[in-house]
Amino acid sequence: MRNLRNIHHSVLEPPTGSGFTAAAWDIATDSVVCAFGPTKDDILIQLKRWTLRSGFQGATSEDELHHIASWDAPCPLPDLDCDKILDLHFFSESLTSCLVQAGGDIVVVREEPQPGEEKIEIVGSVDVGISAAAWSPDEELLAINTRADTLLYMTRHFENVTEIALSPEDLKASKHVSVGWGKSETQFKGKRAKILRDPTVPEKIDEGSLSHHDNRNTTISWRGDGAYIALNRIEVESRRVIRFYSREGILDSVSEPVDGLEGSLGWRPAGNLIAGIQRFEDRIDVVFLERNGLRHGQFGLRLTKEEMESWGADIKLSWNVDSSVLAVCFKDRIQLWTMGNYHYYLKQEVVLPAGSVHQEAALLAWHPEKPLHVILGSEAGLRRLEYTFTIAAGTTSPPDDYGVIAVIDGKNVKLTALRVANVPPPMASCELTLAFNAIDIAVTGSGSHGCSTRIAILHSGGISLYEWNLQERLPSGLSFISFTEFPYCKYFLESTNQQIIFMPNQSLLLWHTGSEGHSLSTFRTANNTVRYDTSSIQRGVRSLVAPTATAVEKDTLSAYILLDSNELFSASSLSAKMTEGHSLGSPKTRFPTFTPRVEVLEYHNSSPFDKGYCNGQLELDHDQTIAFGLSESGFLYANESLLARNCTSFLVTPAHLIFTTTQHLVKFVHMAAVEGMNQIPTVYNLVLLKMLLELEVPPDTPETDERCRSIERGAKLVTVMPSIFALIMQMPRGNLETIYPRALVLAGIRQNINDKKYRKAFLACRNHRVDMNILHDHAPQRFMEDVALFIDQIKKVEHIDLFLSQLREEDVSRTMYNETLRAKTDPYLTQRAATQKQDDGSQLSKVNGICDAFLQILENRMATNLQNMITAHVCKSPPHLEAGLLEVAKIRSRNLLLLASILCSSVIGDNSKHGERAIEHICFLADVNRLYDTALGLYDLDLTLQVAQQSQKDPREYLPFLQGLQEMPTLRRQHTIDNHLGRYTKALQHLQELGGFEEMTTYTQKHSLYVQALDLYRYQEESFKVILTLYAECLQRQSKHKEAGIAYEYLSDYESASECYRLAHLWKESLSCATLIPLPKSQLQNLAHTLADSLVETKDFFSAATVHLDYLFDIETAARLFCKGYFFTDALRTIGLHQRPDLLGSLIDAGLVEGMATMTELLAECKSQLNAQVPRIRELRAKKAEDPLAFFDADGNGGADIPDNVSIARTDTSTAAGDSLFTRYTDRTGTVGTNATRRTSKNRRREERKRARGKKGSVYEEEYLVNSVGRLIDRVNLVGEEVGRLVVGLMRRGMRERARAVEGAMADVVALCQGCVVVVFQVKEEAVEDKIEEERERPKGGEGVLWDSVDEGQARREAPLVRDFEKLSLLRS
């Protein structure tokens, strides 16, 4: 789909009396080394350098040549009229030229010879003469074919390393038979061998006969990597043979016989094909061979018999360095061919001056590094040309983006509108046949001139203008408008036409090179005619640029001119300036380097930017231009800003810059406006332009960013059609691929939503499988306001159902379709719907809000949108099935009303069908079993029957059940239905309404509906007490003794209440109820003893002491229990209250000593535990940080080296002990076997036991120690109050030293706890940062236990609070 476009054309005229004979590139300076002579009349050889002046194109005089050297070269061979240069090669690093001459001399010319070196030196000579020579691509070997039938390999220093004798016996060395496998009889041996096996096949077999135009030349061609060489020469005057030799000089294969094969040869640098010329009586083909010598396709050169005999008598072939272009050299012209989808296109034909016709084909030399730089020459002159691949495409601005592509193929122009018909190349929708070979094509959009697309074709005979109406449903063919020849004036004398584009007012701008240099000419296209307008000479033109996209609609697009200075000028008023002789004016922008491919995006002041296709708002005071350029090295620029360094192709639309990269990604860059830009009046430089636009190139993350997408390797962009969200790419083979990138689709959907074109947005979501939630989530408030408009535009009931059924709570505009355009946008795009609250304070559901809005609108459209109402009810979250079924029931109700009128009998049938369809629809949307239960819960048996008929239920099951319900009274039926559905509360209400109290109590006990029953009988005292009694008994059976006691006490059953309170260990409530019975004194004391003993067991010493003191009057036991609970103050108060000082020594002092001993021992244990565990935690963490692999290697490999050739992966028969480090403690395990469940369960239980024990040296030790320190701190916090009461008691009894010792021990333990909190419970920042962000599946079995342990260790742990211990001021020293 790409055409070759000329971007540079320089002409060098030869010195007087001599002609060009050879040329070579100097890649260091990008100059050309030219050889002149020898000729029949002059044996002098002149070597000169042609260096172009910066910014200069056109004709170059002899004065531009720099003389290198000259010498006489007499021919030593008598059969040659003069010597001939067979090969000229220039070595840039040493400034040395090597010439191989047919007479046998190998001459080296040094521009800067070193001391002891000669400027001109004959380094070797072949006495018999040389027929062909060629240097290898790496410049390390020189292959020479001598006239003595030998092939020589010489090194860079001209040392002969290989000499190969050529003989007819070489033809027997063909490798056509062996492909390295299989039997000989099954392998392909060529057509000749096939015919010999089967003589009945009437097929002509090539014998290798020579062409009558064969010039008897020998040709050498190297493969691109220099590993093989091909030699084409005539063998024993009978046939041409191509021999294939390796770099070491070993014969690899020879070609099969090809009739009419000539001496031309060109090995494609890619290495897969070797091109040659085959001449027939009526045509000439370029044939291809493989390295094994077998044919591999061909294509015709499309010459007439007269052309074959004239300028097509001698032909040469040459590939460019990247194998993309094949040059076919004739006597007076050169053709450039490219291949796409196995079809060869003639892209350019360069005709040399008439005086250059001679006996041999024209001279051609491709640049060794720049693929599309070439030298063309003959005796009459030398031309230096540069080309670039470009696509002749129409506009990419909607709605005129028809994807018009024009492809040049010689005299044929293939036209395809990809939006109308995606025709794969080499076919096309329309094909034009011209009288001349096409040079360049210009395509303009439909909107620029009414209703049609215009195509201007530049060829050597003039300009042809066509029109193509693509707005029809079935577009017709192209209509010819006009043809004009070039005028006879100085600007067009001996001119070479290069480029053509459309200008404003439908004029054409032509760039051509003539005798006067580079010229720009304009042609008018008024009244369906093309006529010449004016011309002017313009130096330094490199390219004409017509923008393919504009931000707003205009009558015509502007045109631009790119100069050698990399400056871009406007050509909008070029014709006036030509007349006045003015310059092009000030440049629009300037690229940092030369960019062969340029696209321009225009912004105009006729409309704000948000009225165009692009998202955002951009309103400028003046017209602005953004130029995007792609350099030969892959640098993509926006004016002077570098956007990407690895670009391979790009396109521009009003909304996006689209480009492909060498990482095989296609990226979309938003044309986003920056906040505050409206205050900027105009821009003509980079600083202000950066303030206007922010071009954000997305990262290489196609998985998460809609602006980046993976594509096939080597794919390049052809065109983009934003109207249909299509992006056309061409694969390296040449076939086309159409994709619909998410960025284009979402941009179109968002724009349609902004424009309230909901139908287009909906259809785009439906066609491209985009989540329908974006229709609401992109602009929630606007959507809720436009629900009625949405329904009116969508219209189809099925489409509305589709939208409602796909609603979900997720906001897709912030998750899967997160907006990547950072621009000043409409407030509706960012404003969320107002947050509404329900009565309970929870937020309303998005789905329910949308469904309610639809229901509100559809209430007045039930005749046409009843199905949508049912869908809205069912699609709520949770589904509102009752409301949906009620809508279905309304249809049946209307049918019953119409049944009373005979006049409406026909309508009844229609409504009946509507009802059936409604039932089918709701059963399709929801679970039919749930619908059956819901319909039954509505007590509508007819509706229930209709739903049951749509289900898979057996009629023998539900029909008897429904019939039985039909025969029941209303309340009994409702009770039965609710009981069947498990709605026991409602069933209980129906029983209460029926008045059967006994049945109701039985039902209450069966289903434990005591609370509901109490509520129903709250105003009937007797019934209430009966039910409460039953409830109390139930609570007592369920061991809920406290609630049971309260219920019994409410019923004044104090005996049962006291027993329930006793069982609940509520001693106060139990004793108070016992006194209300009243119990005898002995029984009351027994109850008190029992309660006191249970309180002692639960270590509630204070309550137990209170019971002994108040109910048993045992002062001694009460005091002892107070002391046991460290309540010494209460013990002293009790003794003093009852006048028992004798107990101070025996009880109080003894209790203080005992408490001190117990507390001191506890604090000593806590201190020793902290001193042991905290250092161990530090040690474990240091080991883990130093060598994590060894730390987690719980199986104890001991640091032994594991052999590299031994697999340590898990197998089905291996045990847990055989697991490797990476399978035991990660989730990267193999296939789960049949015994995996049993094994993983057993391992999990064993691993859980290991984790609970926290054995020293295991991976769980650190977790166990940390938890142990946490429990110790909790224990210290609890005993702090006890220690405080103990210290006060000791001081009150005069035991100051003991009090000091206990207080000091407590203070030490608290200090240790406070100091270790930071160490033990810290969360390392490294662990948080290094934690893998991606979600990984938790492994099973024992590995899952370690997984949980490691996760808990890495999680942020809250350090426990260590309470301060307040010391007694009397003990402070």
Side-chain angles (χ1 to χ4, degrees):
M1 306 299 285
R2 285 168 168 77
N3 300 321
L4 277 178
R5 198 178 199 191
N6 183 256
I7 57 175
H8 181 90
H9 190 161
S10 297
V11 179
L12 176 64
E13 297 178 356
T16 305
S18 62
F20 290 108
T21 55
W25 286 93
D26 179 3
I27 60 177
T29 61
D30 209 23
S31 58
V32 181
V33 177
C34 313
F36 302 90
T39 63
K40 295 180 181 179
D41 303 326
D42 188 1
I43 62 174
L44 179 67
I45 296 180
Q46 300 180 60
L47 204 63
K48 298 186 178 183
R49 180 185 295 274
W50 179 23
T51 304
L52 287 180
R53 288 180 296 173
S54 177
F56 181 83
Q57 296 187 51
T60 305
S61 64
E62 182 181 351
D63 297 337
E64 299 294 332
L65 294 175
H66 171 69
H67 181 77
I68 298 176
S70 62
W71 68 97
D72 290 336
C75 182
L77 300 179
D79 58 334
L80 295 178
D81 295 335
C82 64
D83 209 343
K84 178 183 178 182
I85 299 176
L86 297 178
D87 183 77
L88 170 61
H89 192 85
F90 186 80
F91 299 94
S92 300
E93 67 276 7
S94 61
L95 296 179
T96 303
S97 301
C98 177
L99 294 86
V100 181
Q101 300 174 198
D105 291 338
I106 303 175
V107 182
V108 172
V109 179
R110 302 179 180 90
E111 292 190 38
E112 298 178 358
Q114 299 294 325
E117 294 181 342
E118 298 180 3
K119 187 177 183 66
I120 303 174
E121 179 182 1
I122 300 177
V123 295
S125 183
V126 178
D127 295 337
V128 295
I130 299 175
S131 58
W135 282 92
S136 64
D138 58 0
E139 299 181 341
E140 294 295 331
L141 282 181
L142 172 63
I144 297 176
N145 180 243
T146 69
R147 293 194 172 195
D149 296 338
T150 58
L151 178 64
L152 305 178
Y153 281 177
M154 303 183 71
T155 65
R156 176 76 173 269
H157 303 289
F158 304 100
E159 298 176 355
N160 191 10
V161 295
T162 304
E163 183 173 353
I164 307 163
L166 307 179
S167 68
E169 296 298 322
D170 294 342
L171 275 66
K172 299 179 181 180
S174 173
K175 292 188 177 181
H176 300 164
V177 175
S178 177
V179 295
W181 55 269
K183 297 181 180 180
S184 175
E185 57 268 19
T186 64
Q187 295 174 354
F188 180 65
K189 305 177 184 179
K191 292 181 179 179
R192 186 180 182 87
K194 181 178 180 182
I195 295 302
L196 292 177
R197 287 200 314 270
D198 188 2
T200 62
V201 177
E203 185 176 355
K204 179 182 178 297
I205 303 303
D206 286 356
E207 299 291 340
S209 59
L210 296 176
S211 168
H212 64 280
H213 281 285
D214 199 313
N215 55 14
R216 308 285 172 169
N217 288 340
T218 301
T219 311
I220 295 177
S221 182
W222 285 87
R223 200 170 77 173
D225 58 357
Y228 288 91
I229 189 174
L231 174 63
N232 185 355
R233 66 189 301 271
I234 296 178
E235 191 66 35
V236 294
E237 299 296 328
S238 60
R239 56 168 283 200
R240 274 199 173 271
V241 177
I242 302 177
R243 292 176 170 86
F244 299 92
Y245 290 93
S246 67
R247 190 180 180 92
E248 291 75 23
I250 301 173
L251 179 64
D252 186 71
S253 62
V254 297
S255 64
E256 62 175 315
V258 179
D259 289 343
L261 184 66
E262 297 187 354
S264 180
L265 187 68
W267 200 326
R268 195 166 185 255
N272 57 338
L273 296 175
I274 302 98
I277 293 296
Q278 182 181 19
R279 188 181 296 269
F280 296 93
E281 294 294 333
D282 58 344
R283 74 177 193 275
I284 299 177
D285 287 349
V286 176
V287 296
F288 299 106
L289 298 93
E290 298 177 357
R291 185 168 60 86
N292 57 14
L294 299 180
R295 289 279 298 274
H296 190 90
Q298 68 281 322
F299 70 91
L301 289 179
R302 309 172 189 173
L303 303 182
T304 63
K305 287 188 177 182
E306 293 76 10
E307 294 171 341
M308 291 169 56
E309 296 297 330
S310 57
W311 49 266
D314 188 21
I315 304 175
K316 291 182 181 179
L317 301 175
S318 179
W319 292 92
N320 70 334
V321 67
D322 66 351
S323 306
S324 60
V325 181
L326 173 63
V328 182
C329 305
F330 300 97
K331 287 187 176 182
D332 68 340
R333 68 195 61 199
I334 293 175
Q335 293 182 350
L336 303 180
W337 295 74
T338 63
M339 191 271 287
N341 222 9
Y342 305 108
H343 175 80
Y344 279 83
Y345 298 85
L346 174 57
K347 293 298 183 183
Q348 288 285 342
E349 183 181 69
V350 182
V351 180
L352 302 176
S356 64
V357 178
H358 48 85
Q359 297 300 319
E360 295 183 356
L363 170 70
L364 182 140
W366 289 102
H367 196 289
E369 294 181 352
K370 299 178 180 180
L372 299 178
H373 291 221
V374 65
I375 301 171
L376 309 179
S378 63
E379 295 178 356
L382 193 66
R383 297 190 179 193
R384 176 171 175 169
L385 305 177
E386 295 180 21
Y387 290 92
T388 184
F389 279 110
T390 184
I391 297 176
T395 179
T396 59
S397 299
D400 303 321
D401 50 342
Y402 290 99
V404 177
I405 301 295
V407 182
I408 295 176
D409 188 11
K411 297 179 180 179
N412 299 323
V413 176
K414 302 176 182 294
L415 291 162
T416 301
L418 296 172
R419 180 170 161 188
V420 178
N422 197 341
V423 181
M427 298 180 290
S429 299
C430 297
E431 189 167 341
L432 299 176
T433 301
L434 309 173
F436 308 91
N437 289 323
I439 298 174
D440 194 20
I441 300 177
V443 182
T444 186
S446 301
S448 58
H449 49 76
C451 60
S452 299
T453 298
R454 287 193 173 185
I455 299 102
I457 302 175
L458 173 66
H459 48 77
S460 56
I463 300 175
S464 298
L465 186 64
Y466 294 85
E467 190 173 76
W468 197 4
N469 188 357
L470 295 171
Q471 294 185 346
E472 299 177 355
R473 184 174 181 84
L474 294 175
S476 57
L478 276 79
S479 301
F480 175 75
I481 295 180
S482 179
F483 166 76
T484 183
E485 295 182 349
F486 299 120
Y488 184 79
C489 63
K490 64 177 182 179
Y491 299 105
F492 289 92
L493 292 177
E494 299 180 0
S495 68
T496 300
N497 306 314
Q498 293 174 263
Q499 296 180 21
I500 187 173
I501 61 171
F502 278 98
M503 289 181 63
N505 302 322
Q506 291 307 298
S507 58
L508 294 170
L509 179 62
L510 173 65
W511 172 36
H512 53 101
T513 303
S515 58
E516 298 292 331
H518 285 318
S519 303
L520 294 174
S521 301
T522 58
F523 292 80
R524 298 290 183 182
T525 60
N527 299 324
N528 289 334
T529 60
V530 180
R531 59 179 179 84
Y532 171 70
D533 184 19
T534 183
S535 298
S536 69
I537 296 176
Q538 180 64 52
R539 299 289 185 184
V541 177
R542 292 300 298 269
S543 182
L544 304 182
V545 182
T548 58
T550 180
V552 295
E553 296 183 1
K554 286 190 66 180
D555 294 335
T556 55
L557 294 177
S558 302
Y560 298 89
I561 302 173
L562 182 66
L563 301 186
D564 268 329
S565 59
N566 303 325
E567 293 177 327
L568 189 69
F569 292 86
S570 175
S572 300
S573 57
L574 188 60
S575 58
K577 292 182 179 180
M578 286 180 178
T579 305
E580 299 171 5
H582 294 158
S583 65
L584 294 175
S586 60
K588 292 293 184 181
T589 187
R590 181 173 182 175
F591 293 108
T593 185
F594 175 63
T595 54
R597 174 78 192 284
V598 177
E599 293 283 351
V600 176
L601 178 63
E602 295 180 336
Y603 294 90
H604 300 284
N605 59 358
S606 60
S607 176
F609 195 49
D610 60 340
K611 293 183 181 178
Y613 171 72
C614 181
N615 293 331
Q617 293 179 340
L618 178 61
E619 187 172 359
L620 302 176
D621 296 333
H622 299 277
D623 293 356
Q624 301 301 334
T625 299
I626 303 178
F628 299 93
L630 177 61
S631 68
E632 294 178 343
S633 58
F635 283 31
L636 179 62
Y637 296 94
N639 290 356
E640 297 182 10
S641 300
L642 178 63
L643 296 182
R645 299 176 181 269
N646 57 352
C647 179
T648 57
S649 63
F650 75 96
L651 292 171
V652 177
T653 73
H656 296 98
L657 163 67
I658 310 170
F659 67 94
T660 56
T661 69
T662 54
Q663 279 76 32
H664 322 300
L665 300 172
V666 58
K667 294 188 176 183
F668 296 80
V669 180
H670 290 296
M671 302 298 180
V674 180
E675 294 287 346
M677 64 187 180
N678 291 334
Q679 287 74 24
I680 302 175
T682 185
V683 54
Y684 290 105
N685 53 64
L686 175 63
V687 177
L688 293 181
L689 183 60
K690 284 185 176 179
M691 297 175 66
L692 278 173
L693 294 178
E694 181 184 54
L695 301 178
E696 180 185 1
V697 178
D700 297 344
T701 54
E703 302 85 1
T704 59
D705 198 329
E706 70 180 34
R707 299 170 296 171
C708 184
R709 170 172 173 160
S710 299
I711 57 175
E712 186 177 334
R713 178 185 295 270
K716 292 185 177 181
L717 303 178
V718 175
T719 188
V720 59
M721 294 167 283
S723 295
I724 60 173
F725 323 122
L727 182 64
I728 311 296
M729 298 184 298
Q730 189 168 28
M731 303 301 109
R733 191 191 74 184
N735 57 306
L736 297 182
E737 181 175 325
T738 303
I739 63 174
Y740 299 88
R742 195 62 86 194
L744 283 181
V745 174
L746 292 178
I749 292 173
R750 290 171 182 140
Q751 185 60 36
N752 288 329
I753 295 173
N754 296 342
D755 297 338
K756 297 186 178 183
K757 298 177 181 178
Y758 292 108
R759 176 175 175 80
K760 292 184 65 176
F762 172 84
L763 293 178
C765 293
R766 182 168 175 261
N767 294 337
H768 299 285
R769 300 182 66 85
V770 177
D771 196 307
M772 297 284 184
N773 285 271
I774 195 175
L775 298 174
H776 167 271
D777 296 341
H778 177 65
Q781 184 173 348
R782 172 180 291 172
F783 181 86
M784 299 303 289
E785 295 173 357
D786 295 338
V787 170
L789 178 62
F790 179 88
I791 296 173
D792 292 337
Q793 289 185 4
I794 299 298
K795 292 183 181 179
K796 283 192 176 182
V797 174
E798 295 80 5
H799 289 173
I800 298 175
D801 282 348
L802 178 61
F803 169 74
L804 292 173
S805 62
Q806 292 194 6
L807 291 175
R808 65 178 190 273
E809 297 298 334
E810 178 186 358
D811 186 352
V812 298
S813 66
R814 296 183 177 180
T815 55
M816 62 191 306
Y817 302 137
N818 186 27
E819 176 62 85
T820 55
L821 175 60
R822 297 190 300 178
K824 182 180 179 182
T825 57
D826 193 322
Y828 278 104
L829 301 182
T830 56
Q831 184 178 0
R832 302 286 103 185
T835 303
Q836 301 179 7
K837 300 290 184 178
Q838 297 182 5
D839 295 337
D840 58 357
S842 61
Q843 187 174 350
L844 284 176
S845 166
K846 178 192 89 172
V847 176
N848 293 346
I850 297 174
C851 290
D852 290 338
F854 271 77
L855 289 170
Q856 184 178 359
I857 301 298
L858 295 175
E859 283 181 356
N860 301 325
R861 309 184 186 187
M862 292 188 61
T864 56
N865 296 89
L866 178 62
Q867 180 174 314
N868 298 141
M869 296 185 67
I870 297 173
T871 304
H873 285 299
V874 176
C875 290
K876 286 186 176 182
S877 179
H880 198 179
L881 300 181
E882 291 186 3
L885 288 171
L886 289 175
E887 295 293 343
V888 177
K890 289 179 182 179
I891 301 177
R892 193 181 73 256
S893 300
R894 287 197 296 270
N895 292 340
L896 294 176
L897 293 175
L898 292 174
L899 188 61
S901 176
I902 302 177
L903 297 176
C904 299
S905 58
S906 60
V907 183
I908 295 174
D910 295 339
N911 281 275
S912 178
K913 294 179 181 179
H914 292 165
E916 293 177 0
R917 286 198 297 267
I919 288 291
E920 294 175 359
H921 179 67
I922 196 172
C923 291
F924 169 76
L925 293 175
D927 183 10
V928 69
N929 294 320
R930 289 187 60 191
L931 284 172
Y932 175 82
D933 293 340
T934 305
L936 191 61
L938 296 175
Y939 313 118
D940 191 336
L941 300 184
D942 294 337
L943 183 61
T944 305
L945 179 60
Q946 290 179 341
V947 173
Q949 290 173 348
Q950 299 294 329
S951 67
Q952 301 297 322
K953 293 179 177 291
D954 189 349
R956 293 176 295 180
E957 296 179 2
Y958 65 81
L959 281 179
F961 174 69
L962 295 179
Q963 290 173 354
L965 292 176
Q966 186 68 34
E967 298 173 355
M968 296 180 183
T970 303
L971 289 177
R972 179 58 63 180
R973 183 196 309 141
Q974 293 175 353
H975 166 74
T976 306
I977 290 174
D978 290 331
N979 183 65
H980 173 76
L981 296 177
R983 302 189 301 190
Y984 303 119
T985 300
K986 295 188 70 175
L988 184 67
Q989 293 177 359
H990 296 310
L991 279 181
Q992 193 261 350
E993 293 174 1
L994 286 171
F997 181 76
E998 184 176 352
E999 182 182 3
M1000 190 274 300
T1001 55
T1002 304
Y1003 192 82
T1004 299
Q1005 290 177 295
K1006 180 179 180 181
H1007 298 289
S1008 299
L1009 300 174
Y1010 301 101
V1011 176
Q1012 293 80 3
L1014 290 173
D1015 185 62
L1016 291 174
Y1017 288 95
R1018 60 185 179 276
Y1019 300 119
Q1020 302 177 23
E1021 187 66 26
E1022 296 298 328
S1023 301
F1024 182 84
K1025 290 184 177 181
V1026 172
I1027 296 173
L1028 185 58
T1029 302
L1030 296 175
Y1031 190 21
E1033 294 173 354
C1034 176
L1035 292 173
Q1036 194 173 4
R1037 290 193 299 270
Q1038 296 176 356
S1039 298
K1040 296 180 180 180
H1041 302 293
K1042 179 180 178 180
E1043 290 84 352
I1046 295 173
Y1048 281 125
E1049 191 172 2
Y1050 180 88
L1051 295 171
S1052 301
D1053 187 355
Y1054 298 113
E1055 185 175 357
S1056 300
S1058 177
E1059 180 63 19
C1060 290
Y1061 285 138
R1062 182 188 68 80
L1063 294 174
H1065 303 288
L1066 299 175
W1067 63 275
K1068 296 179 181 179
E1069 292 82 352
S1070 178
L1071 290 173
S1072 64
C1073 289
T1075 56
L1076 293 175
I1077 297 177
L1079 282 178
K1081 185 176 180 180
S1082 58
Q1083 294 183 7
L1084 182 61
Q1085 290 181 348
N1086 291 336
L1087 177 61
H1089 271 293
T1090 303
L1091 290 172
D1093 292 342
S1094 66
L1095 291 172
V1096 171
E1097 291 178 1
T1098 59
K1099 297 185 183 296
D1100 188 358
F1101 300 108
F1102 189 89
S1103 298
T1106 304
V1107 172
H1108 277 281
L1109 185 63
D1110 294 345
Y1111 291 92
L1112 299 176
F1113 309 105
D1114 189 350
I1115 300 172
E1116 185 175 349
T1117 303
R1120 185 180 295 108
L1121 291 175
F1122 277 131
C1123 292
K1124 197 169 185 179
Y1126 297 94
F1127 297 101
F1128 298 102
T1129 301
D1130 294 278
L1132 290 171
R1133 182 188 65 82
T1134 302
I1135 292 174
L1137 179 64
H1138 295 86
Q1139 301 296 322
R1140 294 291 303 274
D1142 56 306
L1143 299 178
L1144 290 175
S1146 60
L1147 288 180
I1148 303 299
D1149 293 345
L1152 286 170
V1153 173
E1154 182 181 358
M1156 175 195 170
T1158 303
M1159 191 60 66
T1160 303
E1161 182 180 359
L1162 173 63
L1163 294 176
E1165 291 178 357
C1166 292
K1167 188 174 182 179
S1168 62
Q1169 179 180 344
L1170 288 173
N1171 290 331
Q1173 291 181 342
V1174 174
R1176 178 59 178 169
I1177 292 174
R1178 288 197 185 99
E1179 181 184 354
L1180 291 174
R1181 288 177 175 169
K1183 288 182 178 179
K1184 182 169 65 173
E1186 181 180 357
D1187 190 356
L1189 297 181
F1191 178 81
F1192 286 106
D1193 188 7
D1195 292 331
N1197 289 327
D1201 293 336
I1202 300 176
D1204 294 337
N1205 59 348
V1206 176
S1207 174
I1208 60 176
R1210 176 194 296 264
T1211 63
D1212 289 340
T1213 57
S1214 66
T1215 62
D1219 291 346
S1220 71
L1221 170 63
F1222 298 103
T1223 58
R1224 179 171 177 80
Y1225 296 126
T1226 66
D1227 59 342
R1228 301 295 182 259
T1229 57
T1231 304
V1232 179
T1234 56
N1235 59 345
T1237 303
R1238 178 184 58 81
R1239 187 177 67 244
T1240 55
S1241 177
K1242 181 179 179 181
N1243 292 344
R1244 186 186 68 253
R1245 292 194 298 270
R1246 182 172 62 247
E1247 207 71 20
E1248 287 174 349
R1249 290 193 295 271
K1250 289 183 179 179
R1251 182 182 181 186
R1253 288 195 300 268
K1255 183 180 178 182
K1256 185 174 182 179
S1258 68
V1259 293
Y1260 304 111
E1261 182 184 1
E1262 180 189 359
E1263 180 190 13
Y1264 177 82
L1265 293 177
V1266 171
N1267 294 335
S1268 177
V1269 172
R1271 291 191 296 270
L1272 184 145
I1273 292 175
D1274 294 338
R1275 177 60 178 153
V1276 170
N1277 289 334
L1278 291 176
V1279 302
E1281 295 181 0
E1282 297 179 357
V1283 172
R1285 295 197 297 268
L1286 176 62
V1287 170
V1288 172
L1290 290 171
M1291 285 294 295
R1292 291 181 65 182
R1293 295 299 300 158
M1295 304 178 186
R1296 186 174 185 277
E1297 295 303 324
R1298 294 175 184 265
R1300 181 189 294 274
V1302 173
E1303 187 181 62
M1306 183 63 187
D1308 293 342
V1309 172
V1310 171
L1312 284 175
C1313 291
Q1314 292 175 341
C1316 75
V1317 165
V1318 178
V1319 178
V1320 175
F1321 297 96
Q1322 68 177 352
V1323 178
K1324 293 185 177 181
E1325 296 298 332
E1326 295 81 8
V1328 176
E1329 293 176 359
D1330 296 340
K1331 188 175 181 180
I1332 300 177
E1333 295 181 357
E1334 63 179 8
E1335 293 185 3
R1336 297 169 58 195
E1337 183 181 359
R1338 180 187 182 277
K1340 299 179 180 179
E1343 298 173 0
V1345 178
L1346 180 66
W1347 176 284
D1348 296 337
S1349 175
V1350 174
D1351 277 356
E1352 292 179 9
Q1354 290 180 344
R1356 185 173 299 275
R1357 187 190 303 270
E1358 292 185 3
L1361 177 64
V1362 181
R1363 297 177 184 174
D1364 292 333
F1365 178 70
E1366 186 177 355
K1367 293 184 178 181
L1368 197 62
S1369 60
L1370 294 174
L1371 297 176
R1372 294 178 183 176
S1373 57

